C-alpha cells in the first residue's frame, strides 16, 4: 500500500496497514523500524511532507503517525478523530522522556560508545578528577541516572558516585574554544561553518577555501589542499562534570563547574526510552536547539569531543575524525554497588 496524501485516500487506513504489517513481522515494538517502513510507503505530496519533518519525528512511529493523521485528517471525523485522540495520548508519555514519568525518577545505567559498523568501542568513565573518557571495560564504566530537566524536554545524567565535597555531579558539556571570534569572551560560541568554496579549475585535486581553524580538541587536518580562514573556528565541546542546569530561561540551561567562567550545561541529553539511544543538543544564544554529535580521532579513542552535526556535514573531509554514538545500557545499581564492595572502587 502506498499513501500519497490525496483526498481519495484515508490516512486512518494507512496507519492501520503499517501497524498490521509491523505486527505480522513481529516488529511492532521497534518504534524506529516501523517509522522507517512507513516512510517507504509514502509518495507524492505525503512524501514531500515527510521529508520536511524533523529527524525525531521521522524515526519514531508514535510521533510520525500522529503528525500524519494531523496533516491528513481521516475521513470519518467522529470515529477516526477518537482514534487520533487515543493515539495522541501515548505519544506524550512515550516521547523522549517516556521512561521517566516522574521528573526525578532514576534510570540507572552505563553509557555505551558505538562507532562505525555498529562496533562497541567501550563505555564512558569518569576518573574522579574531572576527565571523562572511553574505557573498554564495562566494569570500569561510570554508573549514572537519566533525569528529566525540570523546564525542558532535555535530560541530565546524574553520577551515581558522589564525593563528599563535590557540588558538580552531572555529566554535561563544556564549550571548548581555541581563540574564538571573541577572544576576550570564552563563552561565545563560534559561528556555524559556512559553505566552503572549491577551485577545481586551477587545481587538481581541488583547492578549498574558507576552512575554519580547529579547536583545541581537534588534533590535525586531513590530507588535502585547502586554505584556512584564521578568523573562523570550528565550534567544539567536551564532556565535563558540572552542576544541575538552571531552569530560568535566560540562563540557557547553564550549569556551574569547578572552573570559573567555563560555559557548561548538564541538560544536553535527549534520551529515547524505547531505543535507549542518547543524543546531544545545545541551547544556543538565540534559544534554538542545536543538534550535536560526538567524534574521536581515527585510531585514537582518547580524543572524545563534540561538534555541531551541521558543521561536520561540511567539515568531514577536512578532519580525521569519526562519529560515535551513545546508548544507555541499564544496570542494577544495587548489584553494581555490591560488586564494587567486593572488587574494590574505581582507581
Amino acid at each position: 500500500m502506498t499513501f500519497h496524501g490525496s483526498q481519495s485516500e484515508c490516512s486512518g487506513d494507512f496507519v492501520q496497514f503499517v501497524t498490521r504489517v509491523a505486527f505480522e513481522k513481529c516488529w511492532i515494538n521497534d518504534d524506529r523500524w516501523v517509522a522507517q517502513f512507513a516512510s517507504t510507503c509514502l509518495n507524492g505530496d505525503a512524501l514531500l511532507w515527510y521529508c520536511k519533518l524533523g529527524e525525531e519525528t521521522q524515526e519514531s512511529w508514535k510521533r510520525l503517525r500522529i503528525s500524519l493523521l494531523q496533516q491528513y485528517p481521516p475521513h470519518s471525523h467522529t470515529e477516526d478523530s477518537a482514534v487520533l485522540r487515543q493515539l495522541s495520548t501515548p505519544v506524550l508519555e512515550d516521547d523522549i522522556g517516556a521512561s521517566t514519568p516522574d521528573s526525578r525518577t532514576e534510570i540507572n545505567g552505563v553509557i555505551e560508545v558505538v562507532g562505525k559498523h555498529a562496533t562497541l568501542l567501550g563505555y564512558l568513565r569518569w576518573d574522579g578528577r574531572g576527565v571523562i573518557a572511553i574505557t573498554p571495560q564495562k566494569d570500569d564504566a561510570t554508573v549514572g541516572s537519566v533525569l528529566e530537566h525540570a523546564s525542558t524536554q532535555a535530560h541530565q545524567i546524574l553520577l551515581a558516585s558522589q564525593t563528599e565535597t563535590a557540588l558538580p555531579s552531572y555529566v554535561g558539556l563544556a564549550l571548548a574554544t581555541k581563540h574564538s571570534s571573541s577572544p576576550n569572551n570564552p563563552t561565545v560560541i563560534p559561528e556555524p561553518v559556512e559553505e566552503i568554496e572549491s577551485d577545481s579549475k586551477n587545481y587538481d585535486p581541488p583547492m578549498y577555501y574558507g576552512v575554519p581553524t580547529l579547536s583545541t580538541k581537534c588534533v590535525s587536518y586531513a590530507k588535502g589542499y585547502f586554505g584556512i580562514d584564521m578568523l573562523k573556528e570550528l565550534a567544539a565541546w567536551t564532556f565535563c562534570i558540572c552542576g544541575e542546569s538552571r531552569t530560568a530561561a535566560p540562563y540557557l540551561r547553564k550549569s556551574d563547574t569547578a572552573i570559573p567562567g567555563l560555559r557548561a550545561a548538564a541538560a544536553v541529553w535527549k534520551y529515547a526510552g524505547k531505543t535507549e539511544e542518547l543524543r546531544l543538543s545545545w541551547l544556543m544564544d538565540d534559544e534554538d536547539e542545536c543538534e550535536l554529535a560526538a567524534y574521536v580521532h581515527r585510531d585514537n579513542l582518547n580524543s572524545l569531543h563534540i561538534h555541531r552535526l551541521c558543521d561536520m556535514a561540511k567539515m568531514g573531509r577536512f578532519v580525521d575524525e569519526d562519529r560515535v554514538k551513545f546508548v544507555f545500557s541499564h544496570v542494577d545499581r544495587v548489584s553494581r554497588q555490591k560488586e564494587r564492595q567486593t572488587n574494590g572502587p574505581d582507581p
Side-chain angles (χ1 to χ4, degrees), residues 115-330:
K116 293 191 302 183
H117 313 302
T119 303
L120 177 63
L121 302 178
Y123 308 83
L124 287 192
R125 177 180 183 271
W126 175 44
D127 67 358
R129 296 181 295 273
V131 177
I132 298 176
I134 300 174
T135 176
Q137 302 298 327
K138 187 173 184 179
D139 290 342
D140 294 332
T142 296
V143 177
S145 302
V146 174
L147 301 173
E148 285 185 353
H149 185 234
S151 63
T152 69
Q153 288 186 325
H155 289 74
Q156 304 179 108
I157 296 182
L158 176 68
L159 289 175
S161 301
Q162 304 290 324
T163 61
E164 295 181 358
T165 59
L167 174 62
S169 54
Y170 292 83
V171 179
L173 294 180
L175 185 63
T177 59
K178 190 170 185 178
H179 63 267
S180 181
S181 56
S182 300
N184 296 324
N185 189 351
T187 65
V188 175
I189 302 173
E191 292 294 321
V193 176
E194 299 176 350
E195 292 297 333
I196 298 174
E197 299 180 356
S198 64
D199 184 353
S200 57
K201 181 178 180 180
N202 299 313
Y203 297 92
D204 186 18
M207 177 73 176
Y208 296 90
Y209 296 96
V211 177
T213 59
L214 299 183
S215 71
T216 56
K217 301 303 175 181
C218 303
V219 175
S220 63
Y221 293 97
K223 293 181 180 179
Y225 298 92
F226 42 84
I228 301 172
D229 189 339
M230 299 301 295
L231 298 179
K232 298 179 180 179
E233 180 181 356
L234 179 63
W237 290 259
T238 57
F239 282 111
C240 70
I241 302 300
C242 59
E244 185 173 6
S245 281
R246 303 287 294 269
T247 57
Y251 282 108
L252 301 174
R253 304 178 193 164
K254 178 182 177 181
S255 294
D256 293 328
T257 70
I259 303 175
L262 185 65
R263 183 170 180 178
V268 297
W269 299 93
K270 299 287 188 180
Y271 177 58
K274 294 295 184 181
T275 65
E276 298 186 336
E277 184 176 358
L278 285 165
R279 296 186 181 182
L280 293 166
S281 68
W282 187 273
L283 190 60
M284 294 295 175
D285 293 330
D286 59 4
E287 299 186 7
D288 281 344
E289 200 82 33
C290 182
E291 187 173 3
L292 308 179
Y295 297 85
V296 294
H297 304 303
R298 288 167 192 160
D299 303 320
N300 180 10
L301 296 183
N302 297 320
S303 58
L304 185 62
H305 59 289
I306 318 297
H307 292 301
R308 289 189 188 97
L309 194 57
C310 61
D311 283 349
M312 291 303 287
K314 301 172 183 176
M315 282 289 294
R317 72 178 69 183
F318 304 110
V319 290
D320 284 319
E321 298 180 3
D322 291 322
R323 184 181 176 184
V324 297
K325 298 183 178 181
F326 302 110
V327 175
F328 195 75
S329 178
H330 293 240

Side-chain angles (χ1 to χ4, degrees), residues 21-156:
V21 172
F23 181 80
E24 292 170 358
K25 293 183 177 294
C26 299
W27 286 98
I28 192 65
N29 293 322
D30 192 327
D31 192 47
R32 189 173 185 178
W33 184 93
V34 182
Q36 291 175 339
F37 167 71
S39 70
T40 67
C41 301
L42 299 176
N43 209 335
D45 183 73
L47 179 59
L48 179 62
W49 162 81
Y50 169 83
C51 292
K52 296 178 181 179
L53 294 174
E55 185 177 353
E56 289 184 351
T57 301
Q58 289 181 342
E59 295 186 356
S60 169
W61 175 234
K62 292 181 175 66
R63 295 171 186 244
L64 180 59
R65 65 184 181 181
I66 296 304
S67 296
L68 187 142
L69 290 170
Q70 291 174 338
Q71 177 70 17
Y72 305 100
H75 295 157
S76 175
H77 295 289
T78 301
E79 180 180 352
D80 286 335
S81 293
V83 173
L84 176 56
R85 289 194 300 270
Q86 190 177 25
L87 287 173
S88 298
T89 302
V91 168
L92 298 178
E93 297 172 355
D94 288 336
D95 208 341
I96 295 176
S99 298
T100 55
D102 186 317
S103 63
R104 306 309 296 178
T105 300
E106 292 188 2
I107 308 172
N108 302 311
V110 296
I111 300 176
E112 299 175 344
V113 183
V114 183
K116 293 191 302 183
H117 313 302
T119 303
L120 177 63
L121 302 178
Y123 308 83
L124 287 192
R125 177 180 183 271
W126 175 44
D127 67 358
R129 296 181 295 273
V131 177
I132 298 176
I134 300 174
T135 176
Q137 302 298 327
K138 187 173 184 179
D139 290 342
D140 294 332
T142 296
V143 177
S145 302
V146 174
L147 301 173
E148 285 185 353
H149 185 234
S151 63
T152 69
Q153 288 186 325
H155 289 74
Q156 304 179 108

